[in-house]
Amino acid sequence: MLWQPALPDRYTKMTDPELVDAIRARRAELGDDLVILGHHYQQDDVIQFADFDGDSFKLSQLAAERVEETGAKYVIFLGVHFMAESADILTPEQTIVILPDLGAGCSMADMANYTETVEAWEEITDRGTKPSSDQGKESDRRSLDGSMARSLDPSVRVIPICYMNSSAAIKAFCGKHGGAVCTSSNCERVFEWALAGGTQPRGENEEIKILFLPDQHLGRNTAASMGYDVATQMCVWDPKSPDGFGGLDRDDVERSTFILWKGHCSVHKLFRPEHVDEIRAMWPDVTVMVHPECDHDVVLKADMTGSTEGIKKAIETAKPGSRWAIGTEVHMVNRLANAAKERGVTVRMLSDCQCLCTTMYRIDMPHLLYVMDNLAEGKVVNQIKVDDEVKKWSLEALDRMLELTGTGVVASVTVAQDKAQPV
Ligand code: SF4
């Protein structure tokens, strides 16, 4: 996480109406030079100033289009750090991308750092010497001096895939090693591509494995929906394991098609299967829809899973009189609930827990005004700039996704097999 210096006092002393007026004035002053992007999970106080709202990848694409149309010089991202990086990657070189509070990171993205990823890759893909037939499970474990008793079978190829919610460095790593980026909307399509060989056709006797990072839950939920067995065809790589080798044995890696990085979203992790039971007891006719970053046990109990765009679409097209419980960030759910009420659709959070993205919540009106004041005075503060080499390889990984999916932002919804879609 980057360090955000404290704001000058005058920003913290302003009242909300003063802040609104000042931001509106700066917005008018900066005109077409500026594009403001607001993520679905952002608080109402600042989303009201966004030119576009959406998920992270859609917003970056819209910013790139807007820059093309209007020649905008600045993009302010009301989101978190990796989102601003994606906007910098996708917009032209001269575009300046700004994050109003540098402390707005993403706890999930931070769970996969570059060094640990390189170490994991080297250990998993270690081609060393072939195993001897009598090596037992104990000897497979990486010893404290870092030596590995067994190495990856030559017929196995590992392809790294990362979620959009990862740092630019991780996206670049995937691009450089024949992998791709995915969103929660197109994860299955990207997995299919990788399992078919990815950038090169799969050899006749070749076995493909996917190293997926950083969200174990999106990886597990997607692979399970494709028919892979959670217990036997997936394993979880823990980069912090004191035992080394991700806390796994080579056998775990050998049996698994999916090696899932031990990362999670601190917001979606708060939803529990019991919340689904509670809401069904209260509203027997409820439709439960959750984001695929939720725990697999929650997804199994839900009626539907969907990306943020998928959830939005489902609620916007829901039948009047229907009742919904949604498992995703609270600001998005509240906005959907308010709009749906007018159509006679009832929407509530799946749980009463405070499921808000606390890092995104750091972006507030004082910070927004602070960066806009500086822009109006010809100064750039809080710029997010991705290194050229990292940008090149990140784009490679993003382009592979785009070639597969067209836009990458198609709203995705999965309906539990035994439940009819109630929209
Ligand atoms: S909701 Fe979760 S994945 Fe999304 S930005 Fe917040 S911490 Fe990261």
Side-chain angles (χ1 to χ4, degrees):
M1 191 167 95
L2 299 175
W3 179 66
Q4 174 65 50
L7 294 183
D9 278 354
R10 74 184 188 85
Y11 292 101
T12 50
K13 287 184 176 151
M14 289 171 81
T15 64
D16 282 359
E18 285 170 343
L19 285 162
V20 169
D21 288 347
I23 292 170
R24 284 202 181 127
R26 286 304 194 197
R27 184 70 195 84
E29 211 174 312
L30 290 161
D32 282 346
D33 278 352
L34 174 65
V35 185
I36 302 181
L37 310 175
H39 191 270
H40 283 313
Y41 296 163
Q42 194 51 266
Q43 54 181 311
D44 295 348
D45 276 5
V46 292
I47 203 94
Q48 62 176 315
F49 302 109
D51 298 310
F52 303 106
D53 63 8
D55 68 19
S56 60
F57 187 60
K58 173 181 159 183
L59 287 172
S60 295
Q61 285 189 310
L62 284 169
E65 284 167 22
R66 186 65 170 257
V67 167
E68 181 102 345
E69 281 163 24
T70 65
K73 294 188 213 156
Y74 312 112
V75 173
I76 295 180
F77 212 129
L78 309 174
V80 294
H81 189 264
F82 79 82
M83 298 176 188
E85 281 189 330
S86 300
D88 186 57
I89 290 166
L90 290 170
T91 51
E93 179 59 32
Q94 67 277 13
T95 310
I96 291 171
V97 178
I98 290 167
L99 186 65
D101 185 328
L102 294 174
C106 163
S107 53
M108 176 202 284
D110 290 345
M111 286 175 197
N113 72 43
Y114 182 74
T115 306
E116 286 173 347
T117 302
V118 171
E119 282 169 6
W121 181 256
E122 285 173 357
E123 291 177 20
I124 292 167
T125 60
D126 175 17
R127 299 286 179 186
T129 49
K130 276 288 283 172
S132 64
S133 56
D134 60 354
Q135 279 171 323
K137 222 172 155 75
E138 270 312 302
S139 65
D140 296 345
R141 190 175 289 278
R142 175 166 280 272
S143 62
L144 288 176
D145 69 0
S147 61
M148 250 330 267
R150 276 167 58 189
S151 52
L152 190 71
D153 191 286
S155 65
V156 177
R157 180 150 56 98
V158 184
I159 297 180
I161 304 291
C162 68
Y163 189 18
M164 182 59 66
N165 301 16
S166 58
S167 68
I170 300 300
K171 291 184 179 84
F173 178 89
C174 290
K176 205 166 186 173
H177 292 84
V181 177
C182 72
T183 67
S184 55
S185 300
N186 61 33
C187 188
E188 182 168 332
R189 180 72 196 91
V190 175
F191 280 3
E192 283 168 354
W193 166 82
L195 293 171
T199 55
Q200 58 193 81
R202 178 180 176 156
E204 207 177 318
N205 298 314
E206 195 176 35
E207 184 191 343
I208 305 274
K209 295 183 188 297
I210 290 175
L211 170 64
F212 183 69
L213 60 174
D215 184 20
Q216 60 173 304
H217 300 292
L218 177 63
R220 183 178 297 111
N221 288 324
T222 305
S225 74
M226 293 166 74
Y228 289 88
D229 184 58
V230 171
T232 59
Q233 292 177 294
M234 303 171 206
C235 61
V236 176
W237 182 276
D238 178 1
K240 311 278 186 222
S241 171
D243 295 333
F245 199 61
L248 299 170
D249 294 330
R250 179 57 79 181
D251 283 348
D252 296 319
V253 170
E254 281 180 359
R255 68 171 167 76
S256 299
T257 304
F258 296 88
I259 305 160
L260 309 172
W261 194 264
K262 194 177 179 194
H264 64 265
C265 166
S266 45
V267 176
H268 292 95
K269 187 83 180 107
L270 295 173
F271 297 105
R272 305 298 316 144
E274 305 83 65
H275 296 143
V276 182
D277 297 336
E278 284 166 17
I279 199 82
R280 289 201 199 286
M282 191 169 82
W283 289 352
D285 61 335
V286 72
T287 300
V288 177
M289 186 169 192
V290 300
H291 194 279
E293 288 171 23
C294 290
D295 196 278
H296 189 55
D297 291 342
V298 177
V299 167
L300 284 178
K301 285 207 161 195
D303 300 299
M304 303 165 75
T305 58
S307 60
T308 48
E309 292 293 330
I311 291 171
K312 186 166 177 272
K313 190 171 170 203
I315 297 301
E316 287 173 350
T317 56
K319 277 187 196 154
S322 59
R323 296 200 281 192
W324 296 71
I326 305 295
T328 194
E329 210 272 348
V330 65
H331 290 97
M332 174 173 168
V333 177
N334 287 345
R335 272 195 293 277
L336 288 175
N338 288 337
K341 206 181 333 176
E342 289 173 19
R343 294 186 299 109
V345 176
T346 307
V347 178
R348 57 155 286 162
M349 285 289 285
L350 175 57
S351 130
D352 290 328
C353 64
Q354 283 304 305
C355 301
L356 90 163
C357 180
T358 50
T359 47
M360 202 172 301
Y361 195 65
R362 296 176 69 109
I363 309 281
D364 54 12
M365 288 197 288
H367 285 88
L368 177 57
L369 179 59
Y370 164 68
V371 295
M372 291 173 90
D373 275 353
N374 275 283
L375 284 183
E377 289 160 15
K379 282 184 277 178
V380 172
V381 290
N382 289 17
Q383 182 178 3
I384 302 298
K385 182 101 188 107
V386 177
D387 170 89
D388 285 349
E389 181 74 3
V390 173
K391 193 180 269 196
K392 176 182 133 188
W393 287 109
S394 299
L395 270 174
E396 191 81 27
L398 284 161
D399 280 347
R400 287 178 191 141
M401 173 184 83
L402 287 172
E403 274 171 29
L404 291 170
T405 60
T407 67
V409 293
V410 183
S412 121
V413 171
T414 308
V415 183
Q417 275 182 349
D418 57 339
K419 289 153 187 156
Q421 190 170 347
V423 290

